[in-house]
Amino acid sequence: NQFMTSVLILISLVLVGCGKLTTIQGVYASSDNRCWVVNGILKLFASANLTEYTIPNNVTKVGAHAFLNCDSLSNVTIPEGVISVADYAFYDCDNLKSVTIGNSVTTIGERVFCDCKLLSHLTIGKNVKEIGCQAFIECSNIYMIICRATTPPKLDWFLSDSTPTSFEKLETLVIPTGCEEAYANSDWGYYLKE
């Protein structure tokens, strides 16, 4: 029954953590048996032995803590259809290096990628409007960001204080042609290279 499946998943999470889960089964399981999806919200991910992952098409929101401590992942694609990524969704994914956020995403929550120390390449979709507080705190290796949004996403200062330090190794910020002035006059202005 649905209740037992949910209880078994929660017990598994408590006992072994998502990093050791290999499959999720039951009525809320994704077609690849890697995600627990309830009403379009990805609640839990079974990451064992996966280095790359594209979130399934039936997901509209990546839930809070869904990928917490998923240490095997190095590349994640958040596809079209997902509209938001909740707080702490990818918190402490030690080997995460590259994230592609699809064009349908409008909101990235607080501390979403916090403590993803190897994250180096980030692509932000064209409809992202807001990036939550400290979304990239402790992500000190980001060297390239491709931001496809013509209106610069609001950065709800995702830093530990008011000085921009999360992107200290940022070498390249790619923005849409003709949007240089908008980015220069936004929170992103600090990161534009002369």
Side-chain angles (χ1 to χ4, degrees):
N1 82 29
Q2 292 176 0
F3 176 74
M4 284 304 293
T5 301
S6 300
V7 170
L8 289 175
I9 289 172
L10 290 174
I11 290 171
S12 296
L13 177 62
V14 170
L15 294 177
V16 300
C18 75
K20 298 197 187 326
L21 288 176
T22 56
T23 61
I24 295 174
Q25 298 180 359
V27 294
Y28 295 119
S30 59
S31 60
D32 63 358
N33 292 327
R34 287 292 186 161
C35 299
W36 185 34
V37 181
V38 180
N39 298 323
I41 302 171
L42 192 158
K43 301 272 191 178
L44 180 65
F45 176 67
S47 68
N49 306 319
L50 278 182
T51 58
E52 296 187 13
Y53 193 69
T54 298
I55 292 173
N57 292 333
N58 65 330
V59 173
T60 56
K61 179 179 182 179
V62 178
H65 302 101
F67 289 80
L68 175 70
N69 295 323
C70 292
D71 293 336
S72 64
L73 279 182
S74 61
N75 299 300
V76 171
T77 300
I78 302 171
E80 299 300 316
V82 176
I83 56 171
S84 67
V85 183
D87 300 349
Y88 297 91
F90 293 90
Y91 185 87
D92 202 26
C93 292
D94 287 341
N95 292 303
L96 189 60
K97 295 176 184 160
S98 177
V99 176
T100 300
I101 300 169
N103 289 326
S104 58
V105 173
T106 59
T107 306
I108 298 171
E110 294 182 5
R111 293 182 171 245
V112 169
F113 299 101
C114 179
D115 218 19
C116 295
K117 290 180 172 58
L118 295 181
L119 186 59
S120 59
H121 185 272
L122 178 65
T123 301
I124 299 171
K126 66 181 180 180
N127 289 309
V128 172
K129 305 284 185 249
E130 184 173 357
I131 298 174
C133 184
Q134 298 182 334
F136 298 99
I137 194 77
E138 301 298 329
C139 295
S140 57
N141 285 307
I142 297 176
Y143 71 88
M144 180 176 205
I145 298 174
I146 299 170
C147 189
R148 296 190 169 126
T150 54
T151 300
K154 181 184 181 307
L155 298 176
D156 188 6
W157 282 112
F158 44 81
L159 308 161
S160 58
D161 56 32
S162 62
T163 57
T165 58
S166 279
F167 299 145
E168 60 196 37
K169 292 186 180 177
L170 185 64
E171 295 175 9
T172 307
L173 173 59
V174 178
I175 58 175
T177 303
C179 298
E180 295 82 4
E181 186 175 344
Y183 275 81
N185 294 322
S186 74
D187 298 331
W188 293 85
Y190 180 87
Y191 302 108
L192 291 176
K193 304 289 185 205
E194 296 289 323

